[in-house]
Amino acid sequence: MTSDPIRVLLVDDDALVRTGLRLMLGGAPELVVVGEAADGADVADAVTRLRPDVVLMDVRMPLLDGIAATRGITNRAGHRPAVIVLTTFDADATVVDALRAGAAGFLTKHTPPERIVDAVQRAAAGEPVLSPTVARALMDRVATGGDPPVDARRRRARERFALLTEREREVALAVAAGLSNADIASRLFLSVGSVKAHISSALTRLDMTNRVQLALLAHDAGDD
């Protein structure tokens, strides 16, 4: 029995980029592009109508940017697809804002086709689309120099972090360190299934959509 293909929505104000992505993803039988949008302002309606599993989201668009559109998806009731933000440069400072808004990760527009397909599959499965190295670099930016937490945000983060059980906090800190589920299981003497369950319960308790958000919260709540 074959599983249903992963439904993908393309959001970019450049028609050529959308065409290129559609052709690229069309070669993967496990994926299907169900629609396109030329601006973030059109995303809410497209998600409601098309019910994609994954949204490939441009950052800079004329009416509503990708960060605001991502935040809209994260905060919507009901169906909430995973969002992969597309950027021109991987050092773009807006990437951190996109992750805070609820994006599952990001890709640069020159990412090889096979990696984009893999990223869509991973995002649909609930995994972050960030290598451990990139995840640590981004979260270090948040925790140290590039995006220093202000006192109010640190205090709020600690209040939210305290809502988790002790074991959920341990797992969240390991996620923030860029560890895989297998590495977390080994460190905390748990099964991989238990790690996944603790991550899932923590996300539900905090009303978050992915583990990148959980990792950023753990960094914000951490000691100086």
Side-chain angles (χ1 to χ4, degrees), residues 57-61 65-68 70-71 85-103 105-107 138 141-142 146-147 216:
M57 181 84 75
D58 188 21
V59 172
R60 294 183 175 88
M61 291 177 284
D65 65 48
I67 294 171
T70 297
R71 190 175 296 112
V85 171
L86 295 171
T87 67
T88 304
F89 303 104
D90 58 9
D92 195 329
T94 60
V95 169
V96 171
D97 292 332
L99 296 179
R100 289 196 183 284
F106 76 95
L107 297 172
L138 284 172
R141 173 187 172 86
V142 174
D147 184 14
L216 291 172

Side-chain angles (χ1 to χ4, degrees), residues 126-220:
E127 299 178 18
V129 187
L130 294 170
S131 70
T133 300
V134 172
R136 281 194 294 269
L138 284 172
M139 289 184 291
D140 284 347
R141 173 187 172 86
V142 174
T144 56
D147 184 14
V150 296
D151 289 343
R153 190 172 73 206
R154 173 64 58 84
R155 186 163 53 250
R156 174 60 177 156
R158 287 177 173 172
E159 290 172 356
R160 296 193 72 203
F161 203 60
L163 297 175
L164 302 179
T165 66
E166 181 178 357
R167 182 59 90 181
E168 287 168 349
R169 289 195 295 270
E170 290 175 338
V171 171
L173 289 169
V175 170
L179 299 183
S180 66
N181 288 345
D183 290 336
I184 296 172
S186 177
R187 173 181 287 191
L188 299 180
F189 304 102
L190 298 170
S191 68
V192 172
S194 293
V195 171
K196 291 179 179 178
H198 285 305
I199 292 173
S200 179
S201 63
L203 294 177
T204 299
R205 200 183 305 276
L206 297 172
D207 194 27
M208 291 179 168
T209 57
N210 61 67
R211 59 194 285 160
V212 175
Q213 289 177 294
L214 182 62
L216 291 172
L217 177 69
H219 265 290
D220 279 355

Side-chain angles (χ1 to χ4, degrees), residues 9 40-52 55 57 68-83 101-102 207-209:
L9 173 66
D42 302 322
V43 169
D45 176 66
V47 168
T48 298
R49 288 186 297 102
L50 303 171
R51 298 185 65 80
V55 177
M57 181 84 75
T70 297
R71 190 175 296 112
I73 289 175
T74 301
N75 293 334
R76 67 183 273 123
H79 182 64
R80 293 190 291 188
V83 178
D207 194 27
M208 291 179 168
T209 57

